[in-house]
Amino acid sequence: MTITSVDQYRAKPDDQIKLIEWDPNDKSAFPAGKSQGKKALKPLTARLEALQEVMWAEQKHKLLVVVQGMDTAGKDGTIRHVFTGVNPQGVRVASFKVPTPIELGHDYLWRVHQKTPGLGEIVIFNRSHYEDVLVVRVHDLVPEERWSKRYEHINAFEKLLADEGTTILKFFLHIDLDEQKGRLQARLDDPSKHWKFNVGDLKERALWQDYMAAYEDVLNKTSTDHAPWFIVPANRKWLRNLIISTVIVETLEGLAMNFPEPQDDLDEVVIN
Amino acid sequence: MTITSVDQYRAKPDDQIKLIEWDPNDKSAFPAGKSQGKKALKPLTARLEALQEVMWAEQKHKLLVVVQGMDTAGKDGTIRHVFTGVNPQGVRVASFKVPTPIELGHDYLWRVHQKTPGLGEIVIFNRSHYEDVLVVRVHDLVPEERWSKRYEHINAFEKLLADEGTTILKFFLHIDLDEQKGRLQARLDDPSKHWKFNVGDLKERALWQDYMAAYEDVLNKTSTDHAPWFIVPANRKWLRNLIISTVIVETLEGLAMNFPEPQDDLDEVVIN
């Protein structure tokens, strides 16, 4: 059993996205439910593993996967489940935390550009340059006059990457306030998850509507043909994983990759 | 004695530059000649040294100086003479040679972005990302379909730097074929300069007209208000230095920099 078209989750460049109209519980793409859904993920992760192997061998393509979402939206879980099994040689995760003074002394794309994939590589951004128009905007870390110019910088930056051979996929993990409440409570209730709980997260939670407004601007201004955003209904973890895995596998299949030809005529090789 | 307006050497965004119309021997900006010209440089280098000290102390501005030109145009000499005396703490030269395989595996701005100035810094690019539309174009290192998109990337990249607080000045050291011949011959005639002589330079010399066409496109497509090109008549080394030094000093003066206020009230400090 496979998922129906995932293109319904892509933010089209001309859309006027209102997140309230996107249901984080939507499971229309895979009505069969959780246990079937988990089963459906397995062949996809195997396929991803195989595709990544060809990609690394071929050294012809680069893939950048951006993962964004509110606290508890499942960024870490997505990375763990979708990329389970791939060879770490050729796959890197870059996490963007609070910038250092040296990073703040440069433009906000400086540290990000350094982490972009080289030939044959898959790089996953756990948070990204989008924080510079999300948390930075919501908390007024720089004036609007400055952050408002960044959508254009970001589109140009991603155009550069795309023109020079990088395939870009961006995923917004869409959960709602209720789902976050449950997940935060679960962290509180389970001592083994206390390390994940940060009282500061509650302050961010109180700014939910501001974040949604900032995300809507991101989705409306920076979902391009060369670097599309997918709005992933993420209240259900299994469905979130299934959708993202499908998008990535379908995209890599579209690259029509092949193992490189051997450099010598192997028919004549004799190993003594 | 000071130089007349250096703005005449700036390529205006709407100009249609033809290099044949720009005289590499022009000395109208400083008719008094070489010995007066060398004298005029001294107060400028002292002023630059002082300005750089404030800049480093203030940690508020960043300056990027791009130096481009044909072989023997005087890139190294410019850097040596114009920046003589500045504190190396806060001033860096980044030279861009033939890219490594890792660098080639990323977009062409990847290695360049890493070297851009942080707060308080002056960075001089000895060659730059412009080589990716110069040597790369003249030698067909990538297809036209690819390099032709780069002017737009470069403008967007420099806009990002400027919007995020970097002042950008770009200098094209304009010499002519005769001048290059003399300088190459001087290298051949002087054993202590043989290390600078590379037989490959003669191949590049034979492509002079192709390079001039590529430079004209650079000057016409990428001289913007936020990152202007200056076409420096460079047959005369002393005048080249004088013009560049003047542009840099006038630009830094325009930033109205100040030493930062002390963090404490020093009137009350007693040193026992």
Side-chain angles (χ1 to χ4, degrees):
Chain A
M1 191 172 298
T2 57
I3 197 166
T4 60
S5 164
V6 289
D7 196 58
Q8 60 181 303
Y9 301 114
R10 184 165 60 85
K12 318 300 185 284
D14 295 328
D15 280 356
Q16 279 305 315
I17 307 284
K18 293 201 174 88
L19 281 171
I20 196 76
E21 296 166 2
W22 293 70
D23 180 7
N25 278 307
D26 174 62
K27 58 170 185 172
S28 60
F30 198 85
K34 182 171 179 174
S35 72
Q36 291 293 318
K38 285 191 159 189
K39 223 178 271 177
L41 186 64
K42 286 192 181 154
L44 284 169
T45 52
R47 186 71 196 123
L48 178 59
E49 195 183 333
L51 284 161
Q52 188 264 327
E53 195 186 341
V54 187
M55 191 173 168
W56 180 247
E58 198 185 37
Q59 295 278 308
K60 212 170 133 184
H61 296 279
K62 324 175 213 186
L63 177 66
L64 174 61
V65 176
V66 172
V67 183
Q68 283 285 160
M70 297 293 287
D71 291 326
T72 78
K75 297 181 288 296
D76 296 342
T78 297
I79 295 168
R80 188 168 60 248
H81 287 98
V82 170
F83 290 93
T84 184
V86 297
N87 186 345
Q89 174 139 303
V91 179
R92 268 189 297 128
V93 177
S95 295
F96 295 96
K97 311 275 184 188
V98 177
T100 66
I102 297 283
E103 289 170 346
L104 280 175
H106 292 80
D107 68 273
Y108 62 99
L109 292 176
W110 180 75
R111 64 175 184 159
V112 172
H113 202 166
Q114 294 178 29
K115 303 291 188 184
T116 53
L119 283 175
E121 278 190 316
I122 296 177
V123 171
I124 304 129
F125 280 2
N126 185 349
R127 302 189 188 269
S128 66
H129 43 302
Y130 285 98
E131 292 296 335
D132 294 288
V133 285
L134 291 166
V135 63
V136 166
R137 164 177 165 170
V138 170
H139 288 279
D140 288 320
L141 300 182
V142 305
E144 175 166 1
E145 193 260 340
R146 196 156 153 205
W147 60 252
S148 63
K149 292 179 180 162
R150 293 181 171 177
Y151 305 99
E152 206 179 314
H153 302 155
I154 290 173
N155 285 338
F157 170 61
E158 292 176 352
K159 181 75 162 45
L160 160 74
L161 298 180
D163 282 348
E164 295 282 318
T166 301
T167 302
I168 304 171
L169 297 170
K170 303 183 292 199
F171 298 99
F172 168 57
L173 310 186
H174 185 33
I175 60 170
D176 55 30
L177 259 174
D178 273 356
E179 181 66 23
Q180 191 189 52
K181 186 178 184 181
R183 293 185 185 185
L184 286 172
Q185 191 62 52
R187 288 184 185 178
L188 270 187
D189 294 345
D190 178 353
S192 79
K193 286 187 177 168
H194 281 183
W195 67 273
K196 278 191 158 188
F197 194 89
N198 187 327
V199 176
D201 295 350
L202 298 180
K203 278 192 202 150
E204 298 302 293
R205 176 172 165 77
L207 296 166
W208 189 273
Q209 295 312 329
D210 293 345
Y211 273 105
M212 289 306 109
Y215 267 112
E216 281 176 357
D217 267 359
V218 162
L219 297 166
N220 285 316
K221 291 174 194 276
T222 67
S223 196
T224 55
D225 289 331
H226 59 271
W229 275 106
F230 291 82
I231 302 171
V232 182
N235 277 5
R236 291 183 168 83
K237 296 173 183 175
W238 61 270
L239 185 59
R240 169 200 77 198
N241 296 340
L242 196 54
I243 292 169
I244 294 175
S245 193
T246 303
V247 171
I248 294 174
V249 166
E250 287 184 356
T251 301
L252 291 180
E253 301 272 15
L255 297 179
M257 299 181 290
N258 288 298
F259 284 106
E261 294 292 318
Q263 296 176 0
D264 301 294
D265 184 350
L266 301 187
D267 290 346
E268 296 182 5
V269 173
V270 179
I271 301 169
N272 293 306
Chain B
M1 190 170 303
T2 58
I3 196 165
T4 62
S5 164
V6 288
D7 197 58
Q8 61 182 302
Y9 301 114
R10 184 165 60 86
K12 317 306 183 280
D14 295 329
D15 281 355
Q16 280 304 315
I17 307 284
K18 293 200 173 91
L19 282 172
I20 197 76
E21 296 167 1
W22 293 70
D23 179 8
N25 277 308
D26 174 63
K27 58 169 183 172
S28 60
F30 197 86
K34 183 170 177 173
S35 72
Q36 291 295 317
K38 285 190 159 189
K39 224 177 270 179
L41 185 64
K42 285 189 181 157
L44 284 170
T45 53
R47 187 72 195 123
L48 178 59
E49 194 182 334
L51 284 161
Q52 187 263 328
E53 194 185 342
V54 187
M55 190 172 170
W56 179 246
E58 196 184 40
Q59 294 278 307
K60 214 169 132 183
H61 295 278
K62 324 175 214 187
L63 177 66
L64 175 61
V65 175
V66 172
V67 182
Q68 283 284 160
M70 297 293 287
D71 291 326
T72 77
K75 297 180 288 295
D76 296 342
T78 297
I79 295 168
R80 188 168 59 247
H81 287 97
V82 171
F83 290 94
T84 184
V86 296
N87 186 345
Q89 175 139 301
V91 179
R92 269 188 297 127
V93 177
S95 295
F96 295 96
K97 312 275 184 187
V98 177
T100 65
I102 296 284
E103 289 170 345
L104 280 175
H106 291 81
D107 68 272
Y108 62 98
L109 292 176
W110 181 74
R111 65 174 183 161
V112 172
H113 202 166
Q114 293 178 31
K115 304 291 188 183
T116 53
L119 282 176
E121 278 191 317
I122 296 176
V123 171
I124 304 130
F125 280 2
N126 185 348
R127 300 190 189 272
S128 66
H129 43 301
Y130 285 98
E131 292 296 335
D132 294 287
V133 285
L134 290 166
V135 63
V136 166
R137 164 178 165 169
V138 170
H139 287 280
D140 287 321
L141 300 181
V142 306
E144 175 167 1
E145 193 260 339
R146 198 158 152 204
W147 60 251
S148 63
K149 292 178 180 162
R150 292 182 170 176
Y151 304 100
E152 207 179 313
H153 301 156
I154 289 172
N155 285 338
F157 170 61
E158 292 175 352
K159 182 74 163 42
L160 160 74
L161 298 179
D163 283 347
E164 296 282 320
T166 301
T167 302
I168 304 171
L169 296 171
K170 303 182 294 198
F171 298 98
F172 168 57
L173 311 186
H174 185 31
I175 59 169
D176 56 29
L177 260 174
D178 272 357
E179 181 66 23
Q180 190 189 51
K181 187 178 184 181
R183 295 186 185 184
L184 286 173
Q185 190 63 50
R187 288 184 184 177
L188 268 188
D189 294 345
D190 179 353
S192 80
K193 286 188 177 168
H194 280 182
W195 66 275
K196 278 191 159 189
F197 194 89
N198 186 327
V199 176
D201 295 350
L202 298 180
K203 279 192 200 148
E204 298 302 293
R205 176 171 164 79
L207 295 166
W208 189 274
Q209 295 312 328
D210 293 345
Y211 273 105
M212 288 307 109
Y215 266 112
E216 281 176 357
D217 268 0
V218 162
L219 296 165
N220 285 315
K221 291 174 195 277
T222 67
S223 196
T224 56
D225 289 330
H226 60 270
W229 275 106
F230 292 81
I231 302 171
V232 181
N235 276 6
R236 291 182 167 82
K237 296 173 184 175
W238 63 269
L239 185 59
R240 170 200 78 197
N241 296 340
L242 196 55
I243 292 169
I244 294 175
S245 193
T246 303
V247 171
I248 294 173
V249 166
E250 287 184 357
T251 301
L252 291 180
E253 302 272 15
L255 297 179
M257 299 182 289
N258 289 297
F259 283 106
E261 293 295 317
Q263 295 176 1
D264 301 294
D265 184 349
L266 300 188
D267 290 345
E268 297 183 5
V269 174
V270 179
I271 300 171
N272 292 307

